[in-house]
């Protein structure tokens, strides 16, 4: 009898462990190594989403520890769930391991950043990476962390302690041999914002580089390190084979990367070459700049590449993780890469070759650049889906609440150069539309592979970019000290970039200023588009006057098997749930601060949680905070 009972208990325990093992998790920044941002959890549905309530919240402590630097912080983190722990990274690169069911802190690691240093994109940590099967004992499972001051740190996933055998006491400096920012240096030219990726025994990292400071900027070299020892295995410079008279730097990979483990590929979203708005000293298309680049993980060599913008002078770099999935377009199923862009375009290419699955045409674009400029006569445009963001405006389209503010916007539009998408920057002042924040930005897209539907959010605003002759630069910089004015040292022109706003602080272009879209990849048809966000937290009660305007947004969507799309991102303090089929907004949960982050979801002991970082954003100036909030169905 005793043996029978023991056997039954063993069967029950085994069955229970199998159920728990099968519960949907979130082991990588984008949900999976290909960045689909899809959760197989289906407990929360359109029928019961209205019953969501806060299950737990966790404070990183940044509001106390880094109070003086919070104005320069953006809580963009998407936590990951791995090995029974939820791993959270604060804007100051402090990593906490949490109990997934309660939010209780299990351990915390503080890299002790000097928060007096000013970095190009302020303080950001979008995520960390997890790896297992790295030996026995301590550090058999690891968390890899990029820091703002150019460190790659390996932590034991169980204890949070640095892995002594990785580099020097758990740390390597990026790039190897470099001297990172010290305690007295005030400005950092290069840092890291997105999570590394781990594949085939390597940790691969990109970088974020300051824009528009100089022609001969730092190079955006991607580095691969041994996941156990930290030894450098290979490096890839997207501009490595450019020869004089070419001058330029950057072409870095600041957005998240993706991994195709089966093919042994790492997929890079490569940014533009410096400086952003004048390319006269960097003739040619730019080769790997502004490109989806697939590298062989084994040695860092290029497998294929596809360029989305030729000779970029609009800061239309690739801002989002390339999403990997099988796409069936017009009856043909192909393992594909889906790449959204700041222009509001969505490119879909074959993962084996980089050749477009959905055809791309080269269309003539406006010419007549600044003196010394050599523009590309054409730019690549996918035939489907249609652009997800508008790109042309006339003075008569100006938006305003009154004749007076609408007139101010009309005058600004009329005074600028604008011939639609890809109008080149000028000393007159050129409208960049969509602005350099998107279209789509680092939040990327969510992909429901079972239904071949992409969900993606876009912003809708304009930048006015004005080239400044170098002889006039100092006077202009002094006059417009409160605007973004950058020198482009070494180029004949500096630049000034400003968002085109009315005297009341609203975009000069008509709403919606932010949208969420669903795209059927079978046909490339847009299934629905709805406004995303309100002006409620920018001007109380204004939403009743303005209606459903949407807002510019940062952060991305997450889709679930339960038929819901969850997204924060907008400039109000809410997490929202939309019906994946119709686009109807079904629920919104109030957050303690701005939710400019991408949510994630998992099931823990039979209960589905939806989690988002709520800490606000320095660029959008939304309410600051330091909390991670988990929602679940009320018991």
């Amino acid at each position: 009898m005793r043996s029978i009972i023991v056997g039954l208990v063993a069967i029950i325990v085994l069955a229970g462990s199998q159920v728990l093992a099968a519960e949907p998790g979130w082991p990588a920044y984008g949900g999976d190594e290909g960045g689909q941002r899809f959760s197989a959890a289906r407990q929360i549905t359109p029928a019961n989403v209205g019953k969501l309530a806060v299950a737990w919240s966790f404070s990183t402590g940044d509001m106390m520890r880094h109070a003086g630097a919070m104005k320069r912080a953006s809580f963009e983190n998407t936590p990951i769930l791995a090995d029974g722990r939820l791993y959270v990274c604060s804007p100051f690169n402090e990593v906490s391991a949490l109990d997934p069911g309660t939010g209780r802190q299990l351990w915390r690691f503080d890299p002790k950043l000097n928060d007096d240093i000013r970095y190009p994109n302020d303080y950001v940590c979008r995520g960390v990476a997890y790896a297992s099967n790295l030996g026995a004992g301590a550090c058999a499972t690891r968390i890899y962390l990029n820091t703002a001051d150019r460190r790659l740190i390996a932590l034991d996933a169980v204890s949070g302690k640095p892995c002594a055998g990785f580099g020097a006491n758990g740390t390597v400096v990026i790039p190897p041999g470099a001297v990172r920012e010290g305690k007295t240096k005030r400005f950092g030219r290069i840092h890291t914002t997105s999570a590394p990726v781990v594949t085939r025994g390597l940790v691969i990292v990109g970088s974020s580089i300051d824009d528009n400071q100089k022609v001969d900027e730092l190079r955006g070299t991607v580095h691969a390190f041994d996941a156990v020892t930290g030894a450098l295995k290979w490096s890839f410079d997207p501009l490595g084979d450019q020869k004089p008279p070419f001058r330029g730097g950057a072409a870095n990979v600041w957005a998240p990367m993706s991994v195709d483990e089966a093919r042994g590929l790492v997929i890079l979203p490569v940014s533009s070459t410096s400086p952003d708005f004048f390319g006269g000293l960097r003739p040619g298309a730019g080769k790997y700049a502004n490109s989806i680049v697939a590298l062989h993980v084994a040695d860092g060599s290029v497998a294929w590449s596809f360029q989305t913008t030729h000779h970029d002078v609009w800061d239309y770099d690739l801002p989002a993780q390339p999403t990997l999935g099988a796409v069936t377009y017009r009856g043909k199923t192909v393992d594909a890469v889906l790449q959204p862009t700041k222009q509001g375009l969505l490119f879909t290419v074959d993962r084996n070759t980089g050749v477009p699955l959905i055809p791309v045409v080269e269309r003539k674009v406006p010419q007549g650049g600044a003196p010394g400029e050599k523009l590309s006569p054409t730019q690549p445009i996918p035939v489907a889906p249609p652009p997800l963001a508008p790109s042309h405006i006339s003075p008569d389209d100006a938006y305003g609440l009154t004749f007076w503010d609408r007139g101010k916007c009309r005058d600004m539009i009329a005074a600028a150069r604008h011939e639609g998408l890809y109008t080149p920057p000028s000393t007159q002042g050129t409208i960049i539309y969509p602005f350099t924040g998107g279209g789509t930005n680092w939040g990327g897209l969510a992909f429901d592979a079972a239904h071949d539907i992409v969900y993606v959010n876009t912003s809708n605003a304009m930048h006015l970019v004005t080239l400044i002759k170098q002889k006039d630069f100092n006077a202009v910089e002094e006059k417009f000290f409160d605007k973004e004015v950058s020198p482009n040292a070494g180029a004949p022109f500096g630049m000034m970039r400003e968002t085109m706003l009315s005297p009341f602080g609203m975009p000069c272009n008509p709403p919606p200023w932010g949208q969420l879209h669903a795209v059927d990849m079978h046909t490339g048809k847009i299934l629905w588009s709805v406004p995303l966000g309100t002006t409620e937290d920018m001007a109380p009660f204004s939403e009743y006057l303005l209606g459903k305007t949407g807002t510019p947004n940062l952060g991305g969507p997450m889709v679930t098997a339960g038929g819901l799309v969850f997204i924060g991102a907008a400039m109000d303090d809410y997490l929202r749930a939309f019906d994946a089929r119709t686009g109807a907004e079904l629920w919104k949960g109030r957050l303690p601060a701005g939710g400019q982050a991408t949510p994630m979801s998992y099931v823990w002991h039979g209960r589905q949680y939806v989690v988002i970082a709520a800490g606000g954003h320095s660029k959008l100036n939304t309410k600051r905070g330091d909390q991670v909030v988990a929602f679940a169905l009320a018991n």
Side-chain angles (χ1 to χ4, degrees):
M1 180 64 69
R2 179 178 297 176
S3 63
I4 293 173
I5 293 173
V6 170
L8 287 173
V9 170
I11 291 171
I12 292 169
V13 170
L14 179 59
S17 67
Q18 289 174 338
V19 170
L20 290 178
E23 288 185 330
W26 197 275
Y29 165 78
D32 67 292
E33 59 191 7
Q36 291 192 5
R37 292 171 189 80
F38 173 83
S39 171
R42 56 178 68 244
Q43 184 180 94
I44 304 170
T45 68
N48 63 23
V49 68
K51 297 179 181 179
L52 279 184
V54 174
W56 57 258
S57 64
F58 165 76
S59 170
T60 65
D62 283 349
M63 290 292 284
M64 292 182 62
R65 283 190 292 270
H66 298 279
M70 287 301 292
K71 62 183 178 182
R72 292 181 279 111
S74 301
F75 201 0
E76 298 181 356
N77 179 245
T78 299
I80 63 172
L81 178 69
D83 206 22
R85 299 172 187 84
L86 199 66
Y87 297 98
V88 173
C89 180
S90 86
F92 301 95
N93 300 124
E94 298 155 356
V95 180
S96 296
L98 309 180
D99 182 299
T102 65
R104 179 176 63 89
Q105 183 172 281
L106 304 175
W107 58 253
R108 176 176 171 272
F109 172 80
D110 186 353
K112 300 189 183 303
L113 293 185
N114 174 10
D115 64 16
D116 288 331
I117 297 176
R118 302 295 181 94
Y119 290 103
N121 289 299
D122 294 334
Y123 286 92
V124 171
C125 179
R126 295 192 182 97
V128 296
Y130 169 84
S132 59
N133 301 317
L134 297 175
C139 291
T141 58
R142 301 185 183 193
I143 293 296
Y144 293 95
L145 164 72
N146 291 327
T147 66
D149 55 3
R150 292 193 291 166
R151 286 177 282 169
L152 173 63
I153 300 175
L155 304 174
D156 178 67
V158 177
S159 68
K161 295 179 180 179
C163 297
F166 184 84
N169 299 315
T171 299
V172 297
V173 178
I174 312 167
V179 178
R180 65 183 180 88
E181 284 77 11
K183 293 184 178 180
T184 59
K185 188 172 181 179
R186 189 175 177 189
F187 296 99
R189 292 171 59 198
I190 180 172
H191 66 150
T192 51
T193 53
S194 293
V197 294
V198 185
T199 179
R200 298 196 176 192
L202 297 179
V203 187
I204 304 170
V205 298
S207 62
S208 182
I209 296 175
D210 203 358
D211 288 340
N212 303 309
Q213 299 306 307
K214 58 195 301 186
V215 171
D216 300 311
E217 190 50 270
L218 298 170
R219 291 295 182 92
T221 305
V222 174
H223 300 286
F225 300 91
D226 186 287
V228 175
T229 68
L232 180 67
K233 290 300 185 180
W234 53 257
S235 299
F236 169 70
D237 177 0
L239 299 177
D241 62 352
Q242 297 293 322
K243 303 293 190 299
F246 181 96
R247 288 179 59 196
N252 50 304
V253 180
W254 64 265
M257 299 172 279
S258 288
V259 167
D260 185 327
E261 183 76 25
R263 290 176 173 80
L265 299 177
V266 57
I267 316 294
L268 314 180
V270 182
S271 78
S272 51
T273 309
S274 64
D276 286 341
F277 301 109
F278 179 76
L281 302 177
R282 46 177 173 87
K287 197 169 184 179
Y288 297 131
N290 300 89
S291 297
I292 313 164
V293 179
L295 301 181
H296 293 290
V297 170
D299 58 8
S301 62
V302 176
W304 55 259
S305 67
F306 179 83
Q307 190 170 65
T308 60
T309 305
H310 307 320
H311 188 77
D312 182 16
V313 292
W314 304 273
D315 194 20
Y316 280 158
D317 55 339
L318 289 183
Q321 182 178 21
T323 295
L324 312 185
V327 172
T328 302
Y329 177 69
R330 300 200 180 282
K332 182 180 180 181
T333 302
V334 173
D335 285 346
V337 179
L338 296 150
Q339 182 66 62
T341 73
K342 291 181 176 180
Q343 300 96 304
L345 305 175
L346 177 60
F347 290 88
T348 308
V349 303
D350 188 314
R351 208 184 314 164
N352 290 307
T353 63
V355 173
L357 168 61
I358 298 180
V360 172
V361 297
E362 290 285 339
R363 292 186 180 168
K364 293 182 178 180
V365 294
Q367 297 295 292
E373 187 63 85
K374 299 176 182 177
L375 298 170
S376 172
T378 63
Q379 292 292 343
I381 307 291
V383 300
L388 300 173
S391 59
H392 191 278
I393 193 168
S394 71
D396 290 339
D397 297 324
Y399 178 81
L401 295 179
T402 68
F403 178 80
W404 174 71
D405 65 311
R406 187 165 54 251
K408 292 291 186 181
C409 283
R410 184 186 299 113
D411 291 346
M412 279 193 283
I413 294 169
R417 182 180 178 186
H418 179 62
E419 299 150 36
L421 191 62
Y422 299 117
T423 304
S426 62
T427 55
Q428 175 186 350
T430 291
I431 295 174
I432 308 293
Y433 190 35
F435 75 151
T436 63
T440 303
N441 210 286
W442 54 264
L445 59 82
F447 182 52
D448 181 347
H451 299 93
D452 246 345
I453 297 177
V454 160
Y455 300 93
V456 62
N457 52 306
T458 56
S459 294
N460 178 21
M462 303 182 295
H463 269 147
L464 180 67
V465 170
T466 305
L467 297 180
I468 306 164
K469 295 179 180 179
Q470 287 293 356
K471 67 180 181 66
D472 302 324
F473 180 78
N474 290 338
V476 172
E477 184 179 35
E478 183 176 352
K479 180 179 180 181
F480 296 104
F481 67 91
D482 58 338
K483 298 183 184 295
E484 182 189 359
V485 182
S486 299
N488 290 347
F493 302 97
M495 58 74 63
M496 180 165 65
R497 172 170 47 185
E498 52 191 315
T499 305
M500 298 185 73
L501 301 175
S502 77
F504 293 148
M506 295 184 297
C508 279
N509 54 283
W513 299 314
Q515 290 182 289
L516 178 65
H517 314 266
V519 179
D520 183 352
M521 297 307 296
H522 292 140
T523 61
K525 178 184 177 182
I526 299 174
L527 298 174
W528 49 258
S529 297
V530 295
L532 176 61
T534 70
T535 56
E536 172 184 342
D537 289 310
M538 293 179 277
F541 307 110
S542 60
E543 70 273 21
Y544 299 108
L545 172 65
L546 301 176
K548 295 183 177 180
T549 61
T551 73
N553 47 84
L554 288 172
M558 179 264 295
V559 62
T560 73
L564 293 166
V565 180
F566 288 93
I567 186 168
M571 294 176 69
D572 53 9
D573 303 337
Y574 288 102
L575 174 66
R576 290 179 164 85
F578 293 85
D579 189 312
R581 185 177 59 85
T582 66
E585 183 178 319
L586 302 178
W587 170 87
K588 63 180 180 180
R590 189 67 172 166
L591 300 174
Q596 285 75 51
T598 303
M600 52 86 75
S601 185
Y602 58 90
V603 175
W604 186 251
H605 294 307
R607 193 181 191 195
Q608 182 181 355
Y609 296 84
V610 178
V611 178
I612 188 169
H617 203 280
S618 63
K619 303 300 184 186
L620 296 181
N621 198 28
T622 47
K623 182 181 178 182
R624 302 303 196 279
D626 62 8
Q627 292 193 53
V628 177
V629 183
F631 294 89
L633 294 176
N635 288 324

